[in-house]
Amino acid sequence: MPLPLPHRGRNSRVAGSRVASTSLPRATAHPPRRAGRGAPSSSHAQRLTRRRHSSEQVPPGPEPEADFRSGKWLQERAGGDTRDSRQAARAGMGSRHRICSREEVVIPCASDNDSGSVDLQLSNLENIEKDPSSLELTDSNISDIVELSREPLTDSFRRLTQKDPLSEAIVERLIQSIQEVFDGELQSELEKLTFLRSLSSLSRTLPYDDTTESFIHSHIEDIVCILNMLVEEEPVHSLLSSVLQEVFVTIADLSYQGVHLLFGSEDGADLFSLITKSIITLPSVTTLIQLQEIMPSGSYNTECLYRQTFQAFSEMLQSLVVEDPHLENLDTIFKQMDPWLQSTKDHERERATASMAQVLKCLSRHLSLKLPLRFQRLGHRVALLALLCGDPVKEVAEEAAAGTHYLLHVTLRLKCISYDKNHPSLRRTMKKCRELLELYNIKRFYSCPFKIAQVFEVFLNSNELCQFVMTILDSLENLKHPSTQQSAGELLLTLVKNAESRFEKVPEIMGVICARLCIISQPRVRRQIINTVSLFISRPKYTDIVINHLLCHPVPYDRHLAELWRTLEVELPSTTWILWRLLRKLQKCHNAPTQEKMAYVAVAATDALYEVFVGNRLRAATFRLFPQLLMTLLIQIHHSIGLTMSDVAIPSGLYTEQEMSSEVTPLCFAIQATKTLLLRTLCWQEFNIMEKNKGWTLLEGKECHLQGVSLLANALLERNRLLAHKVMYLLVPLLNRGNDKHKLTSAGFFVEREGIKSLLPCILDLLCETDEKIVLLAIQILLQLVGTMDFTTLTAMMKTLFSLFGDVRPAVHRLSMTLFGASIKSVKHTDKKGVENQVLDSLVPLLLYSQDENDAVAEESRQVLTICAQFLKWKLPQEVYCKDPWYISPREAGAVCRFFGKKCQGTVNLLAQTLMFSKNAKLPIRRAAVLFVGLLLKYVDHSELRMKGTDWIENDLRDLLGDPEPSLRIIASRALFRVQKVGAEPDPRQSVCGLRNLIRCLPT
């Protein structure tokens, strides 16, 4: 015989589900019989239990409803009007399985009698400011701020008639019946309901019965297992019995007594997930009614049964947070509801939102927080509710607004207990919150969800701000309705705008934004997302972070990233900063040590500059930074010549899903960016000149690149001299400290420049560079500037040029002599004395280099030698211009030596200068020098030579006797013989003295 169950304060059960009679008395809530146990009258959990099991009917007076939820919504959730309830009653349904009227809806953990306004009382805030260390800040002040007083449970729940507790015999019989279920199995619905009601009744004895406490705690795993089995056995997508409702009631009853079946174990978590899914995934009420018409469910009214079951589920959730000081239960509930709050099905989303609203309402009424708090991801929770406030389904939006209302209250207390009581930012936060709430009615959140971001932003820390943003961005993938997407965009933009620089995980945020752009089709929402990026990039703290992330995408940028670069919306003061930081990314690549491959950032930054120029949103900054932009892009062109994308250090995995086109090269990005820069800065004439003269083709060529640079420089000088001057003055650092590419491009720009005296020292320094092209460009520039130089600069340059005579680079050798000759011509008459020695010292080198094997060098030497002779007012013999080598034209060589030997006697040590060239690397120069030494001996003062000694000459000549070239050995041998002959000649003075002595010895 099944064990009869006590009544639980409800009307008679449905006949098929009810025990015929009972011998058990009703449960009472008398004080406990055991010392040391808390009195039930003082326990929240026991009062809630009495409320649930009392037979006293709820007074029929309706509770006032909150002003943010429509009456229709409440009526629907309350089971319809009274007339419908009476019809259900006439159908024979017990009150346990129906809600007879709206007044009979039991919401034990919350009431709707709050005022509906959220206001901050100035007096409370003043008290905070006067006494910041007061502990009252985290309790009474917060309650006053939001007008959500913490009602005692005796006020929240109507007073109930108290009955006697269960006897020990009844407790034992209940335990025995439950134990039988553990040992057996449940077959019929009656057995299932009997087990659940027995367990629920037994739970009421926990506060005062040790046997019950021991029994239930030792069989929690068994209870969870059976409940899981009962839920699984219920038909999917239908509601044909009240078993599911009884499961919720039983779990709630145990929760009120501190026994949480759904927490603390993996099985409990699985049960929680299962029962949540079982109620949330039920078809909509309309569908359930239609199913009932097709498949009648006997005496059950499906609609009424659904509403009661859902209400039981909601109450079960509320029972979990009545005493939740650390908010870990709330966090678990949110995790369970998270996927359903984001469901694509309206009725699932509505149920989840309504459930969370009731949970938050219950919690806000009975907050008693203690550290440590375990409520995670507050930013994510706020963002979810904020999105739901903009839901196209009105009921969902209204419930979400209510939930947000209560979550704000929870957040206020949560933050106050989390902050140090003396934390100054807490007072600032409360003040800002008050100012916002004076402007907004929180219960109208559903009409303006973006206000949620403004109000909650003041309470969210950096990590929670990131959670909020990431949740909004992640939701864009699932939000199909246009209005919801717009709400998401507004929320995101509002939060970022108000939170200013309190974000930390900006790269992650940028990553999600870039990934979501491709799925956002609404222009307005795309604009909001891009404006969010604009806010981040315009703040100096995040500028480099955002740019770095955007540069780590494949080039050329897809249409979404291209749109982002082109449509950045930033305030005017920030435009220059952003463009400058992007430019610096490219310049740093140029300044880095030479690598085997080009840095990918250089290519990405170049493409980004192109997109920015195309969008023209940073127009003012583009004009301001034009000189730097132009020169940097020209240098990038120089770096990119001849490279393909295989020559770029592309980050691994960047092109996993697409293949790089062979037509895409670093050079094409640099050229298109340079062209767009000229067009956007109104340099149309310059652009036209480049087009007409094939300037872009010249820039792309390895050999003719510098010609293209010079053409562009000349075009700027002709059409926009002031702009050209700005460019050139910016080149000075590049001329001094840049690498070869810097100096080449910069020097190429200067080829067309005149009258820039202040830059001459920098250009003169380029003469000492090792790169031939840099030196040649510097000489070309100096050839145009030589006429403007002052005497000091001119003499300094001539000394440098003299050192380049004989340079192994033929072009440098030749042009250095050309510039030297031009320098001599430009010397003023009054300054001629000052450079005469330099001119005389250059004669021997020029004369010997006229014998160079390179015809161009030899010819240029003769030309410059003529200029030197004119300067000295000499007339050179025609033999100087003889193109035959001296060693096969001894007559011409003798005539040249005779001329220079006589002209330079006493002024230039021709012999010493010539002997230095006997060690020249070039055979023609060595041979000419040795030949010249031998011929010069006729025109030097022999006595003076003997006084100095000839050893230094003989030693150098002897070294040449071992030269592998026979002609040189023969010439050296002859020269050595002549030197030795001079050394062996007697001194004329000694001969005269000997003659005089001889004469004296003769007899007179």
Side-chain angles (χ1 to χ4, degrees), residues 694-713:
K694 299 182 179 180
W696 304 116
T697 304
L698 292 174
L699 280 176
E700 294 175 357
K702 187 173 184 179
E703 300 300 329
C704 53
H705 169 74
L706 297 177
Q707 297 178 34
V709 175
S710 299
L711 178 63
L712 180 56

Side-chain angles (χ1 to χ4, degrees), residues 930-963:
V930 174
L931 180 62
F932 205 63
V933 167
L935 294 175
L936 279 176
L937 289 173
K938 295 180 181 181
Y939 309 104
V940 298
D941 187 346
H942 289 193
S943 60
E944 184 178 352
L945 186 60
R946 282 193 296 270
M947 287 179 61
K948 293 181 178 180
T950 59
D951 293 343
W952 56 282
I953 303 176
E954 292 178 16
N955 291 338
D956 286 348
L957 293 175
R958 283 194 184 96
D959 292 340
L960 294 173
L961 294 178
D963 195 276

